[in-house]
């Protein structure tokens, strides 16, 4: 057995230029520091430390999750692996600060990532399979006019006006776009919206005015500005009555099975678009304007609110396929309501947790796995059920999964991501900790360490209980 120690990179590095350069500089420092040290070998894919269990650093930083080894026992002592871990960690901290998370099992601390993920990451950089060219992440588009279009281009889509089309393969979780609104406007009577927009437009440059006027209007009539807003505005937060108009994000079309997620970052005052599944070059980037209800309900809502008939991948399927989807969406809604019921959560948490697990599987089927925004919420619900009955071990795992989903669909800078991250570190911070009972009481470190993924999931969802 023995104890492991090391550090994890949380969150992992992106393939963006900034992260790549930082990692390169870090590796340079490591190489210089260990030049002439016979135990450190620099390969074409990886830097090995022939000490302890041979911890390693990949040349490609986005693949890196953990640097660690057993630190107890004769081999660890003779090869001085603990020194290497300490030194490499202090160099890494100088570059990556709080992203470097140290842990040592001697103090009952454990790594952030599950071992199966870590092993998969190590396999990926120790294998000989060449990796695709890294894709840069777009920078914040403050002006709304000069987007980094490395990832997409604006094109005319037959029957749908303009849309965004991927110009490279975009991996799941990538930030495709980050854009400040051209203007924000409170929803109201068309006459009022029209006047309000006219006032705001006067303050903008000619270019930006032109950009606004070039946006599509599905509601012709006396209030053209209000029509543009109604056709194009993205809500500033779920259910918000304030909408933002963007010169690029507004071109993103709707799908009932989207491949991207839009989120308003209230703290930073910008809209982000993240890929919720791998998007292939040539595919249109699509978000959901309306996800709830049956196909008929959605069609009606899209017609009334945005002025178009949906003919997405789902809506153009056969009636049988649409019917099966309608049934799943009704189940999703029913389960969502069951999970949100505080009385059930208090009296029969086992059932509430089972409903979460059931919902997880239906979501996966309905959205073909590309459902990370709903997953983040689902895992947060499972967190709340666990923490309200004192189960810190499962609560911290659920918070961790919710956090990882949030990072993928909203980014590390989203306030919701930060909130769930703090709960992952300390579940007792939540106001409902022990609120219903302490019958499931566990400590945060009581999560099992040596289970395979299936057995771990059984433990997590209490399936064998
Ligand atoms: Zn549709």
């Amino acid at each position: 057995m023995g104890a492991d120690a090391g550090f994890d990179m949380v969150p992992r590095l992106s393939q963006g230029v900034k992260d790549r350069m930082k990692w390169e500089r870090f590796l340079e420092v490591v190489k210089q520091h260990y030049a002439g040290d016979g135990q450190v070998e620099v390969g074409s894919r990886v830097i090995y430390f022939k000490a302890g269990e041979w911890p390693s650093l990949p040349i490609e930083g986005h693949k890196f999750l953990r640097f660690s080894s057993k630190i107890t026992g004769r081999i660890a002592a003779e090869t001085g692996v603990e020194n290497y871990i300490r030194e490499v960690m202090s160099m890494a901290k100088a570059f990556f600060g709080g992203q470097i998370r140290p842990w040592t099992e001697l103090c009952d601390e454990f790594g952030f990532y599950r071992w199966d993920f870590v092993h998969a990451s190590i396999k990926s950089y120790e294998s000989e399979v060449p990796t695709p060219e890294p894709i840069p992440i777009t920078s914040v588009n403050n002006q709304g006019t000069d987007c980094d279009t490395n990832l997409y281009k604006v094109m005319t889509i037959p029957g749908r006006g303009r849309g965004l089309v991927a110009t490279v393969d975009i991996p799941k979780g990538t930030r495709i776009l980050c854009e400040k609104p051209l203007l924000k406007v409170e929803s109201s009577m068309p006459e009022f919206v029209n006047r309000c927009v006219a006032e705001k437009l006067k303050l903008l440059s000619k270019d930006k005015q032109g950009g606004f006027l070039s946006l599509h209007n599905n509601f012709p009539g006396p209030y053209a500005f209000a029509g543009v807003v109604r056709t194009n505005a993205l809500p500033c937060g779920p259910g918000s009555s304030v909408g933002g108009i963007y010169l690029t994000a507004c071109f993103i079309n709707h799908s009932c099975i989207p491949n991207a997620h839009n989120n308003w970052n209230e703290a930073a005052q910008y809209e982000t678009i993240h890929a919720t599944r791998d998007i292939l070059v040539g595919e249109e980037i699509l978000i959901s304007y309306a996800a709830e209800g049956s196909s008929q309900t959605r069609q009606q809502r899209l017609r009334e609110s945005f002025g178009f008939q949906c003919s997405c991948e789902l809506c153009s399927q056969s009636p049988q396929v649409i019917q099966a989807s309608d049934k799943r969406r009704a189940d999703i809604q029913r389960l969502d309501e069951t999970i949100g019921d505080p009385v059930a959560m208090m009296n029969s948490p086992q059932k509430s947790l089972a409903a979460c697990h059931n919902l997880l599987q239906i979501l996966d089927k309905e959205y073909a796995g590309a459902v990370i925004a709903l997953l983040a919420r689902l895992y947060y619900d499972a967190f709340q059920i666990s923490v309200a009955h004192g189960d810190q071990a499962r609560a911290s795992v659920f918070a961790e999964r919710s956090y990882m989903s949030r990072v993928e669909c909203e980014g590390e800078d989203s306030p919701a991501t930060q909130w769930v991250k703090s709960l992952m570190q300390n579940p007792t911070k939540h106001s409902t900790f022990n609120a219903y009972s302490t019958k499931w009481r566990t400590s945060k470190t009581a999560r099992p360490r040596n289970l395979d993924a299936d057995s771990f999931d059984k433990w997590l969802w209490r399936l064998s209980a």
Side-chain angles (χ1 to χ4, degrees):
M1 289 300 284
D4 283 79
F7 64 89
D8 287 13
M9 175 77 79
V10 185
R12 69 191 301 166
L13 297 177
S14 72
Q15 298 184 61
V17 175
K18 247 163 118 180
D19 277 353
R20 245 165 45 205
M21 287 173 62
K22 232 196 244 183
W23 184 257
E24 274 170 24
R25 287 203 304 272
F26 160 64
L27 291 189
E28 270 316 305
V29 170
V30 171
K31 284 184 214 166
Q32 275 173 24
H33 186 88
Y34 294 112
D37 182 325
Q39 288 191 150
V40 181
E41 195 159 297
V42 180
S44 61
R45 294 181 186 285
V46 72
I47 301 178
Y48 281 109
F49 291 74
K50 297 179 191 167
E53 293 175 306
W54 287 34
S56 62
L57 297 166
I59 302 300
E60 292 175 294
H62 68 275
K63 293 183 174 173
F64 176 73
L65 295 181
R66 172 171 300 164
F67 187 85
S68 74
S69 168
K70 291 242 176 299
I71 52 160
T72 50
R74 189 177 55 83
I75 295 174
E78 280 175 4
T79 53
V81 71
E82 232 182 319
N83 284 338
Y84 285 115
I85 292 175
R86 205 181 45 247
E87 288 171 1
V88 172
M89 183 161 69
S90 95
M91 288 182 255
K93 271 190 171 168
F95 284 90
F96 304 101
Q99 264 174 280
I100 300 302
R101 194 169 301 180
W103 53 271
T104 168
E105 289 181 0
L106 292 176
C107 300
D108 255 3
E109 296 162 354
F110 301 93
F112 176 80
Y113 299 105
R114 269 169 38 190
W115 275 109
D116 50 341
F117 291 161
V118 173
H119 289 141
S121 83
I122 292 174
K123 218 170 153 189
S124 78
Y125 53 80
E126 289 182 354
S127 77
E128 291 304 311
V129 183
T131 52
E133 273 299 293
I135 293 162
I137 305 297
T138 52
S139 54
V140 176
N141 177 15
N142 286 308
Q143 304 307 316
T145 52
D146 54 352
C147 264
D148 178 349
T149 53
N150 279 332
L151 300 182
Y152 59 83
K153 61 182 169 189
V154 177
M155 285 175 74
T156 302
I157 314 282
R160 280 212 280 240
R162 283 171 289 189
L164 259 60
V165 174
T167 51
V168 288
D169 291 344
I170 303 175
K172 177 179 174 181
T174 302
R175 178 166 289 188
I176 299 169
L177 179 63
C178 177
E179 188 178 14
K180 294 233 176 203
L182 185 68
L183 52 89
K184 288 200 294 180
V185 58
E186 176 100 37
S187 101
S188 179
M189 304 294 287
E191 193 181 348
F192 175 78
V193 172
N194 216 59
R195 207 167 51 231
C196 175
V197 171
E199 289 299 318
K200 292 189 177 196
L201 278 177
K202 276 188 214 160
L203 304 173
L204 297 178
S205 69
K206 282 270 178 290
D207 271 2
K208 287 182 182 171
Q209 288 174 356
F212 178 88
L213 294 171
S214 76
L215 292 172
H216 196 65
N217 178 7
N218 284 340
F219 304 95
Y223 304 115
F225 294 162
V228 170
V229 168
R230 195 170 157 195
T231 310
N232 293 284
L234 290 169
C236 296
S240 171
S241 62
V242 177
I245 295 288
Y246 305 85
L247 289 182
T248 303
C250 282
F251 291 141
I252 304 177
N253 288 313
H254 162 91
S255 169
C256 298
I257 314 184
N259 56 20
H261 178 69
N262 59 307
N263 180 60
W264 170 251
N265 185 321
E266 178 63 28
Q269 293 283 303
Y270 50 56
E271 184 82 9
T272 57
I273 308 288
H274 283 231
T276 53
R277 65 164 167 79
D278 292 344
I279 301 175
L280 299 177
V281 58
E283 263 191 273
E284 187 178 0
I285 294 157
L286 298 160
I287 58 174
S288 168
Y289 300 171
E292 278 169 15
S294 66
S295 154
Q296 209 182 354
T297 314
R298 287 197 307 275
Q299 286 286 9
Q300 191 183 349
R301 169 131 191 257
L302 293 166
R303 225 173 15 246
E304 286 169 4
S305 304
F306 304 97
F308 70 91
Q309 179 80 23
C310 187
S311 57
C312 74
E313 193 191 336
L314 173 61
C315 294
S316 50
Q317 294 277 351
S318 69
Q320 288 85 343
V321 173
I322 293 177
Q323 213 173 7
S325 157
D326 281 353
K327 184 182 175 312
R328 279 192 295 271
R329 295 210 184 197
D331 286 345
I332 289 169
Q333 202 166 338
R334 182 180 49 78
L335 284 167
D336 202 28
E337 281 158 16
T338 311
I339 294 161
D341 175 6
V343 178
M345 212 188 264
M346 180 157 65
N347 296 330
S348 44
Q350 183 81 43
K351 271 191 190 158
S352 300
L353 205 57
C356 286
H357 189 245
N358 195 358
L359 179 54
L360 182 68
Q361 281 147 30
I362 300 174
L363 285 174
D364 202 40
K365 202 161 188 184
E366 176 64 3
Y367 294 93
V371 67
I372 50 190
L374 289 170
L375 279 187
R377 217 181 76 198
L378 165 78
Y379 284 128
Y380 184 66
D381 285 337
F383 163 85
Q384 290 193 90
I385 296 164
S386 301
V387 87
H389 293 278
D391 186 352
Q392 288 191 62
R394 287 177 183 80
S396 71
V397 176
F398 285 129
E400 180 182 314
R401 292 193 178 183
S402 182
Y403 163 72
M404 286 165 133
S405 304
R406 286 268 176 224
V407 169
E408 282 191 309
C409 66
E410 296 178 6
E412 185 73 28
D413 56 353
S414 150
T417 307
Q418 287 303 315
W419 165 238
V420 79
K421 185 179 184 178
S422 71
L423 294 173
M424 172 181 89
Q425 287 153 351
N426 181 10
T428 65
K429 197 177 148 177
H430 198 270
S431 59
T432 62
F433 174 56
N434 284 346
Y436 292 158
S437 81
T438 53
K439 67 178 179 182
W440 278 358
R441 183 168 54 206
T442 59
S443 76
K444 195 187 145 196
T445 54
R447 70 165 83 169
R449 292 286 148 186
N450 296 312
L451 297 181
D452 59 41
D454 277 356
S455 311
F456 187 86
D457 267 16
K458 272 192 187 136
W459 168 81
L460 182 63
W461 295 101
R462 297 177 172 270
L463 294 182
S464 48

